[in-house]
Amino acid sequence: MTYSCFKAYFPLLLLNVLFLHIDCMSISAYTLERQRIMKSEESDMFGSSLVLNKQEGLISDILIKAKRAEIEDSRVNGTIFPPAINFFESKKLIDSSKVFQIIKRMPKGGALHTHGSAITSLDWLVKNVTYRANCYMCHDNQGHLQMHFYDTPPQPSYCQWESVQHVRERSGNALLFDQQLIKNISIIVDDPHSTYVTVNDVWRRFGLYFKIVNGLYRYTPIFKDYLQQALREFEEDNVQYIEIRATLSPLYELDGSKHDQEHKLLTYRDTVNDYMAAHPDFIGCKLIQSGIRFFKRDDILDDIKSYVKYQQKYSDIIRGFDLIGQEGPGKPLSYYLDDLLYPSTLDPPVSVPYFFHAGETDWEGSQVDLSLVDAVLLNTSRIGHGFALYKHPEVMKMLKQKDIAIEVNPISNQVLKLVEDLRNHGAITMFANDYPLVVGSDDPAAWGALPQSHDFYMAYMAMTREDAGLEVLKQLAINSMQYSAMTSSEKMEAMKKWERKWNEFIIEILRQHSHDGQLIG
Amino acid sequence: MTYSCFKAYFPLLLLNVLFLHIDCMSISAYTLERQRIMKSEESDMFGSSLVLNKQEGLISDILIKAKRAEIEDSRVNGTIFPPAINFFESKKLIDSSKVFQIIKRMPKGGALHTHGSAITSLDWLVKNVTYRANCYMCHDNQGHLQMHFYDTPPQPSYCQWESVQHVRERSGNALLFDQQLIKNISIIVDDPHSTYVTVNDVWRRFGLYFKIVNGLYRYTPIFKDYLQQALREFEEDNVQYIEIRATLSPLYELDGSKHDQEHKLLTYRDTVNDYMAAHPDFIGCKLIQSGIRFFKRDDILDDIKSYVKYQQKYSDIIRGFDLIGQEGPGKPLSYYLDDLLYPSTLDPPVSVPYFFHAGETDWEGSQVDLSLVDAVLLNTSRIGHGFALYKHPEVMKMLKQKDIAIEVNPISNQVLKLVEDLRNHGAITMFANDYPLVVGSDDPAAWGALPQSHDFYMAYMAMTREDAGLEVLKQLAINSMQYSAMTSSEKMEAMKKWERKWNEFIIEILRQHSHDGQLIG
């Protein structure tokens, strides 16, 4: 069928693609031009440069089929699409998703964006840690829960410490008590939409979470177990490597005495080494030392000086520096500029690898939003969140030029109220234009997410096209090593360990589905 | 202060901007490079090519100051930021905003994206139309309200028609009755978040709105008044021009008889002409004839044939063709491709100006999402919504090349559940990269918004930088004429009428603020 005269545009390849306005176009020319556009967008997509082998291609087809089924059911029949609603409400739905089951089983490489206080499940913390001797709890004068280990607890009037064991016994129902405790520590609520109206509301609650957990896990013996348990949970979620944003806040002992920063680094290192010795498939754990973006400039300068002091001596465990804490009302990077430039003023100058949080905000053009500019100018190795990046065309250009990876944390951004429906997430532009991305989980324990799987599900389902397949997930896994703080040789070693797992995964999924008969037809 | 060795990137202008990695950078070089990035982003912004005169600059400063105050209060103190929550809940907050007061007073040019059934306030519809003789209401067998004019209403068992006058009298409280009626017709609910969980939930209710309003306003004498009232309300909101997506569904008379399509076009034309005669500052009203994207292909082909038949004869009133209705589960443009190409197969071929809705969806890569590709290939003059455009880099390139304007409808996209916090709206990318944009209100009467002011407020506050000023709003107003369906000479006439109002506005606001002493210091 040929149409005599239909206006459309043909691509004409000169130096650039120009569009030539013509008046006559056949339906076949229309179809060709349509295909050209779609192919062009396909090749712009994150993961599109990966070539999947035949077996991977089969799994990709299974994935896309399952993805399509979930999406189309919601699109046409109006069933709830999990990434569109708060994770507190969608978690159960996700857990029954076929796409999610595959993602869970998939070796996801490393987790590059996590915080030390929120990497071990609350379930373990409550059912293991709070059952130990010398664990105390109280409610402060604002009614907020606090927990701590003591030989003899202090007795200030504003916080009457009681042994958790006693309170649990008194409750008469340990199971219910523990469930309630998990709920009280986490930021999970039944109605997140009305409980947390503004981003500040949820961060206030989030601050309480940190206070409670810090009280528990900074007790030295607990800290070791906590970290080991974290590594175990990440490995069980098929994550083989982790980078932790960690403050050097001291660990404590039962008598209230506090250790120094070096002790913490040593404890981190030794605990990781112990774990590695027993788990040869695990790749490792590195720290990104972190200051708090509400603290005074002097404090941050001290943090940086500590980093400079330790970075050579503990180069096996610390690999960079960052500032953490709620960005919205916090201090922008520019506020600390002189301090952040301090290492470069030394003689000889010291190069500090920065891994800045930036753009974790909806406030376009505000001073905190502009930290994205400073992060890039300060030569950051990656950007934590970068949620607002798409509002900054020039910064985006520079990111691509400098090959700076963006750590996307879907669930965090949702529950901490930057975005509700994750199909509106700022990183979608980055996925559509093949930016260097990794997916992180930020603080999975605070909202009951798995170490990486739930976030991978969100990114895959909400931020990529209906027909994007395994190449997206594989690229995310590869990037998580490529853009890590590991050295080149460590990366090579890491890739080998991951590839072994990856190949096992491919074989296992194919076997499962050939049994199901799903690969036939 | 000079830093001996700090890694950063300098722009080097060759053919393109390349980034040169250097090891030494002074703080002044840092500052210069920071300014370069920010300037570059500023000049990428929508409206940045407009040069404001001195008086406009003063008003821009007033606006930015007010905008900043609202934003910073929310950012730092956590007060509710109106665009972040559902319009049903934010409207009251907006009405007390200083930014909004200025926007309301501002001549906004034309409204290019509205639908015929939702342009006249429900307040007027209830307090005027439903008080007229022969107005009937019933609740159908699903409990849904219906309204209609009859001399003698039919008496089917599933819908017992009663005179509205009787029901109102029986209620004993006309004021309360009317308030309840407005609430029943609109889609406004007290708790939109839990009432409308999915996009399909709210569209179901939206369908009921149309059914009720269509029953009322398609009665010929009401239709004329309804349209006149719409034009009055738009003009009162400082909108001087309107383009209405309109079906050619027939008007009716009391005895149930229906007129033909031509009668509707004539009624539109004559009513607009009557209004224009009495309101010399008004620029005009044009129609974009619209088919329904759930209908059979034959029906759409018939619609297009009607358009072809009428477009010459009624060129003073109809100016284009579109398909309307919920896109998510609806038919994509590609489904109707042969029908949409039909005019080009005629001998001689007929050129139909299309103004397609496309990309009003969160379903990336679904068949409806791909209507964006077809809209551009079908040479659309503008794109209605284009919410999903930023997920389509190649389509975006073509849009810029072809200078196709995007009709952004912030509140519609929020209340119809494409996005909750408007700081996550898809058009932000377009604002940041200076795409040709206009702001529309879609169906303001259905959710109690002013004709254009609330949507302008949302776009300005949520989709542009904290420091973006009057240039954004002025560019939107200019674009609304530039990208309208008016002829060149009509556009020139329109610009004159608008400029007169614009100059009055500038003088008035300056006078107000000089009295307030706000221009001093």
Side-chain angles (χ1 to χ4, degrees), chain B residues 333-363:
Chain B
L333 288 180
S334 57
Y335 178 80
Y336 300 110
L337 185 59
D338 282 346
D339 314 303
L340 297 170
L341 289 174
Y342 160 80
S344 67
T345 65
L346 296 173
D347 188 14
V350 173
S351 173
V352 171
Y354 287 128
F355 294 82
F356 287 125
H357 276 69
E360 189 186 3
T361 180
D362 280 325
W363 298 116

Side-chain angles (χ1 to χ4, degrees), chain B residues 50-116:
Chain B
L50 269 191
V51 180
L52 299 180
N53 64 30
K54 198 181 157 194
Q55 291 182 312
E56 290 170 335
L58 289 170
I59 291 176
S60 195
D61 292 343
I62 293 167
L63 253 179
I64 293 170
K65 194 175 158 194
K67 184 184 192 181
R68 273 224 156 100
E70 288 184 32
I71 286 176
E72 290 296 307
D73 193 30
S74 295
R75 183 178 75 81
V76 179
N77 306 323
T79 55
I80 291 175
F81 185 61
I85 60 170
N86 194 294
F87 179 66
F88 303 162
E89 296 161 325
S90 70
K91 190 184 167 194
K92 271 191 191 160
L93 296 173
I94 298 171
D95 290 347
S96 68
S97 143
K98 184 174 172 181
V99 171
F100 179 67
Q101 293 307 321
I102 297 175
I103 285 175
K104 231 168 105 175
R105 176 60 192 85
M106 190 187 99
K108 287 168 280 288
L112 302 193
H113 191 109
T114 62
H115 293 267

Side-chain angles (χ1 to χ4, degrees), chain B residues 271-284:
Chain B
T271 310
V272 170
N273 287 343
D274 287 351
Y275 185 84
M276 300 277 293
H279 297 81
D281 290 337
F282 200 67
I283 294 167

Side-chain angles (χ1 to χ4, degrees), chain A residues 331-354:
Chain A
K331 295 276 188 292
L333 289 180
S334 57
Y335 178 79
Y336 301 109
L337 186 59
D338 282 346
D339 315 303
L340 297 170
L341 289 173
Y342 160 79
S344 67
T345 65
L346 296 172
D347 188 15
V350 172
S351 173
V352 171
Y354 287 127

Side-chain angles (χ1 to χ4, degrees), chain A residues 3-6 9 30 34 40-41 75 193 328 338 344-345 364 367 374 377 392 394-395 402 466, chain B residues 3-6 9 30 34 40-41 75 193 328 344-345 364 367 374 377 392 394-395 402 420 466:
Chain A
Y3 292 98
S4 59
C5 213
F6 166 67
Y9 290 78
Y30 184 99
R34 194 176 195 271
S40 162
E41 297 202 335
R75 182 178 74 82
H193 191 262
D338 282 346
S344 67
T345 65
E364 186 179 359
Q367 56 171 344
D374 292 293
L377 282 174
H392 293 275
E394 186 62 24
V395 176
K402 298 175 86 169
E466 199 182 278
Chain B
Y3 293 100
S4 59
C5 212
F6 166 67
Y9 290 81
Y30 183 100
R34 194 175 196 271
S40 162
E41 296 201 337
R75 183 178 75 81
H193 190 263
S344 67
T345 65
E364 185 178 358
Q367 55 171 345
D374 292 293
L377 282 174
H392 293 274
E394 186 61 23
V395 177
K402 299 174 86 169
E420 177 153 300
E466 198 182 278

